[in-house]
Amino acid sequence: MTDIFSHADEKTWTPTPDGNRRRVLVHTDELMMVEFAFDKGGVGALHSHPHVQASYVAEGRFEVTIDGRSEILEAGSSFIVPSNLVHGVTALEPGRLVDSFTPYRADLLA
């Protein structure tokens, strides 16, 4: 059975290949929510995936690049990444992103 509630203190941070960290908060086969934490200067390398992604800047300031277009976003801002577009972020200060993916990303559960 899928957990429908999530408590942050029950979730484990996992290092990411690019030197940041993440924790999967909740997921079903249709939707997943993941929190990513970055130190100042941390980079979420340019990449793409077939999942649609919606992200909320929970803390900090980020330079966000989507399909070659970049903007500076700060806490309270959000962005969406359509399927298969190349995207990435750079943390301009320590920060956290809360990302939702549809469908869920099996690679983040491994």
Side-chain angles (χ1 to χ4, degrees), residues 4 7 15 41 53 59-60 67 74 76 84-85 87 91-92 95-96 100:
I4 58 173
H7 299 272
Q53 174 181 333
E59 182 179 286
D67 197 30
E74 56 189 34
N84 295 313
L85 287 189
H87 60 285
L92 303 177
R96 293 180 298 113
S100 294

Side-chain angles (χ1 to χ4, degrees), residues 14-21 37-39 42-43:
T14 303
T16 62
D18 49 15
N20 304 299
R21 62 188 198 274
F38 296 80
D39 293 327
V43 173

Side-chain angles (χ1 to χ4, degrees), residues 16-72:
T16 62
D18 49 15
N20 304 299
R21 62 188 198 274
R22 72 170 178 254
R23 59 182 173 182
V24 174
L25 301 175
V26 290
H27 72 90
T28 66
D29 288 347
E30 296 85 19
L31 183 64
M32 170 182 265
M33 186 180 295
V34 182
E35 182 177 15
F36 289 85
F38 296 80
D39 293 327
K40 181 177 180 176
V43 173
L46 290 172
H47 66 286
S48 66
H49 44 71
H51 315 81
V52 175
Q53 174 181 333
S55 299
Y56 175 75
V57 181
E59 182 179 286
R61 290 177 58 239
F62 291 84
E63 179 179 20
V64 179
T65 301
I66 304 169
D67 197 30
R69 180 178 167 199
S70 296
E71 288 199 20
I72 305 297

